[in-house]
Each structure stands twice: as structure tokens, then as C-alpha cells.
């Protein structure tokens, strides 16, 4: 992924250089999500999906997980980092072609001047209508709370909400065995003729069994495939292949952020030589 400008306070007060950004394989190994969920997010990143990662308490891993997904974007993708209050959105023109252009918003909230709120958020969703994709975090515990903040507190219209793809609330708990972070649920967002948008739960975490239920509902797989612009058969093939690839990286101990990024980019380059996407 090619950065169009320099990040500013990506980690809140901590600046861009987080002490140790975690790779997706470390996050999978820690149990925060499964290889299948990582593969689903991979397909989303590759195809320019828009994500909101949410959790109310700080330290839940919102920015950590979002950052870990960046290597999944195709090498020709681009990223523009917003700067909170006073952002001018002076984006360079989008290049022609299928490569996604992501607007990177460290957080949608009014907590810090480096975050985005109100008219800045509305402008971001207007740019999504022009073909940009959004990657951001929010303070919320459920998909519905994310939507409510966007609509009621920021003034994003329902047609704007419909441009999102995935809302991913996280859960964090503290106990004798340490901190346990999990993807609590995944909501699929899309357009709806009556309400402007539709929200569908496609994954959830069972806190009692500490187990994930992914794409088990009737029509879930077809809905995700359609939202990502894939035929049902192609979606199944690609999801399985990527889940197996992530699982293999975890099994082989490939956990460094740069090592994982290089493996994924090499896979993209090999696919380009074969004529794949």
C-alpha cells in the first residue's frame, strides 16, 4: 500500500511509531479472531471494503487490528491519512483502475483534536461516494451503536451509512490469565431501498465457549459475496485459500509485521504473474 501523505497521531497521543505493532498472525495466535475471519477481512481489504473497528474501552485493540490488516490491501492501493480538526481533504486525484484508495481516520470521536467528528465525518462519507474507502475506529460496543453515532451525532445520512462494508466491534476482558481480546461480532452493511442501508450480523463470538460462529446464518455467504462483488463459488474458493494461507503462516511461526507483509505481497505478485486478481 502506498501512503499519499504522512500519518499524524495514528495511535492517538502516541504518534505513528507504536512500540510494537502486531502482525495479523500474532493476533490470530492470541485468539482475537480466526484464520477464516482474517481471510474474510483480507478479501475486504483487497476489494476496497470500508471498515469501522469499534470498542468502548481503550486498549481493546481497535487500531492494532486495523493496522495489522493493512498488508492485505493490494500493493497498488493507496492511503490518505486525515489529521483531525482542520483537515482540508486536499487529496490527490484518484488513479484510474481497480486499486482501492483508502481514507485512513485514526478515530471518529470528539475526544482529541487529532480525531474526526461532525462535519469532517460527513465530508469523509461524501468522499466515499466518489469511490474512496474508509478505514477507521470508534468508541462503541455494538454495530447499532456505531450506526447511531454516525447518524445522530455526526449527521451522516442513511445513504452514507450504506457505503460502509464491515463494522467490527471488539471485546476486551481482564482476568487471572491476562487480557483477552476478541472480535465480538461482525456486521455487514449495504444499501437498502427502504431505510437507506441494511445491517446484517454475519459473525459473532460465543464468550462462554470462547468460540466464533462465522457466516453460519442463512444467506450470509451469498450476502458477503455479493457485497464484495464476487460470485458465490469464487468467494468460497478465495475465502478458503486465504484462511489456509493465514493458518499456515501462524503454524510456521511467521509473526514479524514486516515478514508477514512480505509474504502477502509475494503472494500478490505471484498471482499477478498468473493473471489472477
Amino acid at each position: 500500500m502506498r501512503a499519499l501523505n504522512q500519518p499524524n497521531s495514528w495511535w492517538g497521543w502516541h504518534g505513528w511509531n507504536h512500540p510494537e505493532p502486531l502482525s495479523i498472525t500474532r493476533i490470530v495466535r492470541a485468539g482475537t479472531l480466526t484464520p477464516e475471519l482474517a481471510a474474510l477481512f483480507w478479501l475486504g481489504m483487497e476489494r476496497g471494503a470500508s471498515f469501522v473497528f469499534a470498542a468502548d474501552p481503550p486498549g481493546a485493540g481497535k487500531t492494532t487490528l486495523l493496522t495489522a490488516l493493512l498488508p492485505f490491501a493490494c500493493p497498488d492501493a493507496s492511503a490518505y491519512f486525515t489529521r483531525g480538526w482542520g483537515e482540508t481533504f486536499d487529496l490527490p486525484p484518484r488513479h484510474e483502475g481497480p486499486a482501492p484508495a483508502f481514507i485512513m481516520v485514526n478515530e471518529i470521536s470528539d475526544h482529541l483534536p487529532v480525531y474526526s467528528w461532525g462535519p469532517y465525518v460527513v465530508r469523509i462519507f461524501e468522499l466515499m461516494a466518489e469511490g474512496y474507502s474508509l478505514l477507521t475506529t470508534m468508541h462503541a460496543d455494538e454495530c447499532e451503536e456505531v450506526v447511531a453515532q454516525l447518524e445522530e451525532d455526526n449527521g451522516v445520512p442513511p445513504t452514507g451509512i450504506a457505503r460502509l462494508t464491515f463494522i467490527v466491534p471488539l471485546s476486551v476482558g481482564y482476568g487471572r490469565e491476562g487480557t483477552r481480546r476478541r472480535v465480538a461480532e461482525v456486521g455487514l452493511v449495504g444499501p437498502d431501498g427502504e431505510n437507506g442501508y441494511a445491517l446484517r450480523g454475519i459473525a459473532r463470538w460465543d464468550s462462554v465457549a470462547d468460540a466464533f460462529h462465522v457466516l453460519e446464518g442463512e444467506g450470509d455467504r451469498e450476502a458477503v459475496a455479493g457485497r464484495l462483488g464476487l460470485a458465490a463459488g469464487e468467494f468460497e474458493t478465495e475465502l478458503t485459500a486465504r484462511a489456509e494461507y493465514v493458518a499456515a503462516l501462524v503454524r510456521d511461526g511467521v509473526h514479524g509485521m514486516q515478514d508477514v507483509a512480505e509474504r502477502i505481497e509475494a503472494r500478490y505478485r505471484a498471482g499477478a504473474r498468473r493473471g489472477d486478481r
Side-chain angles (χ1 to χ4, degrees):
M1 181 187 288
R2 177 173 55 92
L4 301 176
N5 62 340
Q6 290 296 316
N8 181 48
S9 298
W10 179 250
W11 302 90
W13 285 124
H14 306 293
W16 169 253
N17 294 317
H18 190 269
E20 187 184 0
L22 298 181
S23 67
I24 191 63
T25 54
R26 287 191 184 277
I27 296 172
V28 168
R29 188 179 66 170
T32 301
L33 73 169
T34 63
E36 184 180 23
L37 266 179
L40 177 63
F41 296 160
W42 183 348
L43 279 173
M45 289 292 296
E46 180 180 294
R47 304 188 72 82
S50 291
F51 289 80
V52 176
F53 294 90
D56 189 45
K62 303 183 295 294
T63 304
T64 299
L65 179 53
L66 191 165
T67 303
L69 296 181
L70 298 183
F72 285 146
C74 61
D76 295 334
S78 59
Y80 177 86
F81 294 84
T82 61
R83 296 173 179 269
W85 301 356
E87 171 62 52
T88 62
F89 298 103
D90 187 20
L91 283 75
R94 283 206 58 196
H95 292 289
E96 295 296 328
F102 293 100
I103 297 178
M104 312 288 292
V105 181
N106 49 10
E107 188 172 298
I108 292 177
S109 79
D110 59 356
H111 296 166
L112 295 174
V114 295
Y115 296 154
S116 299
W117 194 247
Y120 298 104
V121 177
V122 172
R123 179 57 183 148
I124 289 163
F125 277 80
E126 290 173 349
L127 287 168
M128 290 167 67
E130 298 176 17
Y132 291 92
S133 302
L134 171 65
L135 298 176
T136 192
T137 70
M138 293 180 66
H139 283 279
D141 287 325
E142 299 177 343
C143 293
E144 290 79 3
E145 188 178 354
V146 167
V147 172
Q149 283 190 39
L150 291 173
E151 280 195 286
E152 298 169 14
D153 298 337
N154 287 276
V156 178
T159 53
I161 304 294
R163 298 186 187 108
L164 292 173
T165 316
F166 296 112
I167 301 175
V168 187
L170 304 176
S171 171
V172 59
Y174 307 94
R176 294 180 179 177
E177 298 180 357
T179 304
R180 183 173 71 173
R181 297 176 176 86
R182 297 291 185 267
V183 169
E185 61 177 321
V186 180
L188 177 71
V189 188
D192 178 81
E194 295 184 2
N195 302 318
Y197 67 87
L199 176 61
R200 177 192 190 104
I202 59 170
R204 65 178 180 85
W205 171 58
D206 181 342
S207 61
V208 176
D210 192 17
F212 293 91
H213 300 275
V214 181
L215 301 175
E216 294 181 357
E218 184 178 355
D220 282 355
R221 293 177 178 270
E222 293 80 3
V224 175
R227 189 73 179 93
L228 296 180
L230 292 166
E234 183 182 9
F235 171 73
E236 294 295 341
T237 299
E238 296 297 333
L239 184 69
T240 299
R242 283 164 173 73
E244 291 174 350
Y245 191 81
V246 171
L249 292 179
V250 175
R251 185 176 61 249
D252 294 344
V254 182
H255 296 311
M257 189 75 166
Q258 186 61 33
D259 293 335
V260 172
E262 289 175 356
R263 294 288 189 100
I264 294 170
E265 183 171 358
R267 190 180 189 277
Y268 271 119
R269 299 302 184 193
R273 288 194 296 271
R274 294 193 304 269
D276 300 341
R277 180 182 173 84

